Amino acid sequence: MDVMIALALLGCATLGASLSIPGTSRPSGDAPAVALAAVSCLALLVARDAPRAVAVAVTACTVATLAQSYLPTPLTLAPLMMALYWVAARTDLTTMRVLGGGAMAMIVITTVLDRPTTDLLLLRTVGPVLWLLLPLVGGHNARLRGAYLESVHARALHAERTREEEARLRVAEERLRIARELHDVVAHHMAVANAQAGTARHLAPTQPEQAQKILDELTSTTSSALLELRATVGVLRQADDADSLEPAPGLHRLPELIAACESAGLTVTVTTDGEPRPLSPGVDLTAYRIIQEALTNATKHASDHEARIRLAYSDSRLLITVANEGAATGSAVPGGGFGLMGMRERAHSVGGDLRAGPRPEGGFEVATALPLHSQVTDDHEATP
């Protein structure tokens, strides 16, 4: 394509060298103009890669042609117009202005000096300027369009990468959330069931009726665990599954949770300060899960088998404290285990904070401050 364009421009320049206006003198032959045009067209073959050097070379050839009294017609200027087009399309705005303005000035000065009369003044001054402006404008527009298309392509690639990263992030967050839910459900109910089974085994020889009652409660505990486990794993079902999940647990189920812990031998007392206020679904679920995990740890590790829950409502926050007086043993250490990690993640996910660790006077305490309404919008805020 470049060779065909160069040949076409050579034909235009050859035709332009043969033109003359009646009543004006013209060179004796076309050979010098054709030779210079051939050099210009040959240089244009590398104009895409070296537009500046080609523009300088073609400008010199065109000036040499016009200095021999050839007419500055669009045909004669055709190779220079193509060279300026590539300058505008391939270089920056400053380079385009310098090379384009320099070429126009040299062409006008050459034609005026060649014929310092008023004959054909417009043809020798205004005409070349207008004709050389056309490729500069066209090349500049082509460069702007290319830059626009590149920016659109870059934005599309960035949007695609962003979507992929966001999808991976959402998958990771969902996996973490499901793992946290499974840990809370399984750890709590299995700890309570283990404590109930141990208590029933201990009472079976001496108090069979009491042991039978505890075994009945153990059946209820395991059934509840299976129901909550089914509801949690249910989020992995397809969207067109007709089965509906049960409502997310909240503080309204706190009496059931306390009853299950007490059947495992843990004495629980609840104190409420302030007027109870409605909580958003996410905060309600978070408060329930934190209390559940804290009671699970107390059931496994508290030596006095007692736990105290304090709920303090203020205008904008809910303060929850779960403490026991006995010495904490085993893995119940500050920052240790997935249970404490999950409680902190839950508190932070709704804009709250949590502190867990040994008490100065002995025992272990979990304290959290949660906003009444979640400060983090989550699509799965109320999922059990």
Side-chain angles (χ1 to χ4, degrees):
M1 182 62 67
D2 289 344
V3 171
M4 294 178 62
I5 292 175
L7 292 176
L9 292 174
L10 179 59
C12 291
T14 302
L15 179 61
S18 65
L19 296 178
S20 64
I21 296 178
T24 61
S25 61
R26 64 181 301 274
S28 58
D30 301 339
V34 174
L36 291 171
V39 173
S40 298
C41 293
L42 188 62
L44 287 174
L45 295 177
V46 295
R48 296 175 185 267
D49 300 324
R52 298 174 180 84
V54 171
V56 172
V58 175
T59 300
C61 292
T62 305
V63 168
T65 300
L66 298 179
Q68 301 177 51
S69 299
Y70 290 98
L71 290 177
T73 64
L75 296 175
T76 308
L77 298 175
L80 179 58
M81 294 171 67
M82 179 58 67
L84 293 182
Y85 172 85
W86 287 118
V87 168
R90 294 285 182 165
T91 63
D92 57 275
L93 190 59
T94 301
T95 303
M96 181 193 75
R97 290 173 177 173
V98 171
L99 293 179
M104 293 177 191
M106 293 182 67
I107 295 299
V108 172
I109 293 172
T110 301
T111 55
V112 170
L113 293 178
D114 180 57
R115 294 187 180 182
T117 63
T118 59
D119 296 339
L120 305 175
L121 183 62
L122 292 178
L123 178 65
R124 291 184 284 113
T125 56
V126 179
V129 172
L130 295 178
W131 294 324
L132 295 180
L133 277 176
L134 292 177
L136 291 175
V137 172
H140 180 63
N141 289 337
R143 182 171 63 86
L144 292 180
R145 177 171 177 79
Y148 171 74
L149 293 178
E150 288 181 3
S151 66
V152 170
H153 182 63
R155 287 197 299 268
L157 291 178
H158 176 71
E160 184 177 356
R161 288 195 300 268
T162 302
R163 285 194 298 268
E164 293 176 355
E165 292 173 359
E166 183 178 356
R168 287 195 296 267
L169 180 60
R170 287 184 176 274
V171 169
E173 290 177 348
E174 186 68 9
R175 291 176 60 186
L176 179 61
R177 187 186 66 82
I178 294 175
R180 188 168 58 232
E181 291 289 345
L182 289 175
H183 174 273
D184 290 349
V185 172
V186 175
H188 167 71
H189 288 93
M190 292 302 100
V192 172
N194 181 69
Q196 289 173 331
T199 303
R201 179 183 179 183
H202 177 72
L203 296 177
T206 58
Q207 303 180 37
E209 295 182 357
Q210 185 66 20
Q212 183 62 41
K213 180 180 178 182
I214 293 177
L215 290 176
D216 293 339
E217 294 174 349
L218 175 59
T219 302
S220 176
T221 299
T222 54
S223 299
S224 177
L226 291 175
L227 289 175
E228 287 203 34
L229 187 61
R230 178 177 178 271
T232 302
V233 178
V235 299
L236 300 177
R237 296 172 180 167
Q238 298 296 328
D240 57 354
D241 198 326
D243 293 342
S244 59
L245 304 180
E246 66 176 22
L251 293 183
H252 64 279
R253 292 182 55 180
L254 191 57
E256 301 176 19
L257 178 62
I258 294 174
C261 293
E262 288 181 340
S263 67
L266 182 69
T267 302
V268 182
T269 58
V270 181
T271 303
T272 303
D273 296 337
E275 184 69 22
R277 301 168 63 92
L279 307 175
S280 66
V283 176
D284 200 16
L285 172 63
T286 299
Y288 177 84
R289 291 303 191 197
I290 289 176
I291 295 175
Q292 181 186 55
E293 181 63 24
L295 292 181
T296 300
N297 290 338
T299 301
K300 294 189 293 185
H301 304 296
S303 59
D304 62 346
H305 301 291
E306 292 185 5
R308 298 195 311 276
I309 302 174
R310 179 175 176 266
L311 306 176
Y313 291 87
S314 63
D315 292 337
S316 60
R317 302 185 77 81
L318 169 62
L319 304 179
I320 302 175
T321 304
V322 182
N324 63 78
E325 298 291 347
T329 60
S331 61
V333 295
F338 292 108
L340 297 181
M341 183 188 305
M343 286 193 288
R344 291 192 181 92
E345 291 173 351
R346 285 187 179 279
H348 294 161
S349 68
V350 295
D353 195 12
L354 183 137
R355 178 184 57 83
R359 305 172 64 208
E361 62 272 24
F364 197 83
E365 180 180 82
V366 175
T368 182
L370 305 176
L372 297 181
H373 299 281
S374 176
Q375 299 176 4
V376 180
T377 303
D378 245 354
D379 293 339
H380 51 262
E381 185 179 42
T383 304

